[in-house]
């Protein structure tokens, strides 16, 4: 699975996109069929070497990425290395996006969601929720407002996964001030991890799911879960009647359909 992070904070330095590759181990049917590992990862250098199993005498091909992780790396290490800087930047008022790309069965859902229990199996999304509200609770001199929205893109139609009317399609609009946005997209104010997880679960129940050749329960749609973090603070030297300083950061957590055709 390929994890890609986009953080607008670094746009000025020309490094606003980082690509991270995670390779899972062989399992189940692959082991039973006697499949061989043809990918070698070097996390220290960010290099991946791929061998051609049909032509063992051919030279291996090497590719370099911002970060690479193999099956020895934990969910927590993936989150802290690939996602945490983007999450923290959103809390500071920047826009960021994290998405996972790859064929069905490569581990996208495991990387993004994982399992609720035990805690060390939790993926990027639940760790993001925990981090956002833990950081807010640890900040004493600012006020925060956190909102969550959830949309689906399926066959080029956009649908609000939190809307009461799931038959209604949403319109894309664009303005010079805000850029592209989804008109009338439902947004809920959330005050803690339990509330934002409940919003996520409601939306997941409304997603379009269809079978693929590789996974009977694979979603054939793309979804975007957006966390908007608004920060209000008064700075030293502000007059009592001055308006507070407002910053708004937006974090998009994207679940892509499998990349196979």
């Amino acid at each position: 699975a390929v994890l890609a992070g986009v953080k607008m904070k670094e746009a000025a330095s020309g490094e606003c996109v980082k690509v991270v590759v995670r390779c899972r181990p062989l399992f189940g049917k692959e082991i039973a069929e006697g499949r061989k590992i043809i990918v070698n990862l070097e996390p220290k250098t960010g290099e991946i070497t791929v061998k051609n199993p049909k032509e063992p005498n051919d030279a291996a091909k090497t590719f370099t990425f911002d970060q690479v992780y193999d099956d020895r790396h934990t969910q927590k290490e993936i989150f802290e290395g690939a996602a945490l800087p983007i999450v923290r930047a959103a809390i500071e008022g920047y826009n960021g996006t994290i998405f996972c790309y790859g064929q069905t069965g490569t581990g996208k859902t495991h990387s993004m969601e994982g399992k609720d229990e035990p805690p060390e199996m939790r993926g990027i999304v639940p760790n993001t929720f925990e981090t956002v509200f833990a950081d807010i609770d640890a900040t004493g001199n600012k006020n925060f407002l956190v909102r969550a929205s959830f949309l689906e893109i399926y066959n080029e139609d956009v649908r609000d996964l939190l809307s009461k009317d799931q038959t209604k399609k949403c319109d894309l609009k664009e303005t010079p001030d805000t850029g592209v946005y989804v008109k009338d997209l439902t947004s809920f104010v959330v005050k803690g991890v339990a509330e934002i997880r409940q919003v996520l679960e409601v939306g997941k129940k409304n997603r379009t799911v269809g079978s693929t050749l590789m996974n009977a329960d694979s979603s054939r749609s793309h979804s975007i879960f957006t966390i908007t973090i608004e920060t209000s603070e008064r700075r030293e030297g502000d007059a009592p009647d001055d308006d507070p300083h407002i910053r708004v950061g937006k974090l998009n957590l994207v679940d892509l359909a499998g990349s196979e055709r």
Side-chain angles (χ1 to χ4, degrees):
V2 178
L3 292 163
V6 183
K7 183 171 63 171
M8 297 309 295
K9 181 180 180 181
E10 294 181 348
S13 64
E15 294 204 22
C16 58
V17 178
K18 290 190 176 181
V19 180
V20 179
V21 176
R22 183 184 196 183
C23 290
R24 66 163 175 79
L26 297 175
F27 65 86
K29 183 180 179 182
E30 297 160 345
I31 296 175
E33 293 177 351
R35 303 283 183 91
K36 303 295 183 182
I37 295 174
I38 62 169
V39 178
N40 182 60
L41 284 77
E42 290 292 342
K44 291 183 179 180
T45 60
E47 291 181 334
I48 293 180
T49 303
V50 182
K51 300 176 183 177
N52 184 350
K54 296 181 180 179
E55 299 292 341
N57 295 325
D58 286 359
K61 294 184 178 180
T62 300
F63 305 89
T64 303
F65 300 91
D66 292 296
Q67 294 169 311
V68 298
Y69 297 95
D70 57 26
D71 58 315
R72 295 170 295 180
H73 291 91
T74 64
Q75 292 279 69
K76 197 72 172 179
E77 288 173 324
I78 300 291
F79 173 73
E80 291 178 349
L84 184 58
I86 302 173
V87 176
R88 290 257 161 86
I91 298 172
E92 293 173 12
Y94 297 95
N95 294 338
T97 297
I98 302 169
F99 67 87
C100 205
Y101 177 83
Q103 238 182 13
T104 297
T106 52
K108 298 188 302 298
T109 300
H110 176 70
S111 294
M112 290 299 287
E113 297 182 18
K115 298 179 181 178
D116 287 339
E117 298 296 336
E120 57 265 24
M121 293 300 291
R122 293 172 185 168
I124 287 173
V125 172
N127 276 305
T128 293
F129 294 168
E130 296 283 351
T131 299
V132 167
F133 288 101
D135 283 15
I136 288 174
D137 290 342
T139 305
N141 60 340
K142 301 176 184 177
N143 294 316
F144 291 89
L145 179 68
V146 182
R147 301 190 302 274
S149 62
F150 202 5
L151 64 83
E152 175 190 63
I153 303 171
Y154 183 69
N155 287 340
E156 299 186 5
D157 290 326
V158 179
R159 192 157 60 97
D160 183 352
L161 291 174
L162 303 178
S163 172
K164 293 181 180 179
D165 182 6
Q166 285 299 303
T167 63
K168 182 181 178 181
K169 302 296 190 296
C170 298
D171 295 325
L172 283 177
K173 300 291 183 180
E174 184 173 10
T175 64
D177 295 332
T178 60
V180 177
Y181 68 97
V182 178
K183 184 181 179 183
D184 300 327
L185 184 65
T186 304
S187 180
F188 284 103
V189 173
V190 287
K191 299 180 180 179
V193 173
E195 289 188 11
I196 197 169
R197 290 186 69 173
Q198 185 176 10
V199 171
L200 177 67
E201 290 304 317
V202 168
K204 284 170 65 175
K205 289 179 181 179
N206 290 326
R207 283 198 68 182
T208 301
V209 174
S211 65
T212 71
L213 293 175
M214 296 186 172
N215 189 335
D217 299 315
S218 177
S219 173
R220 302 309 304 145
S221 66
H222 309 299
S223 73
I224 304 175
F225 188 88
T226 301
I227 306 170
T228 303
I229 305 167
E230 186 175 313
T231 309
S232 170
E233 67 174 319
R234 291 190 176 278
R235 297 171 182 168
E236 188 175 348
D238 287 351
D241 57 347
D242 285 349
D243 291 332
H245 298 272
I246 305 293
R247 290 184 298 176
V248 180
K250 187 175 288 187
L251 178 63
N252 299 302
L253 301 172
V254 183
D255 182 10
L256 294 173
S259 60
E260 69 277 356
R261 294 184 180 276

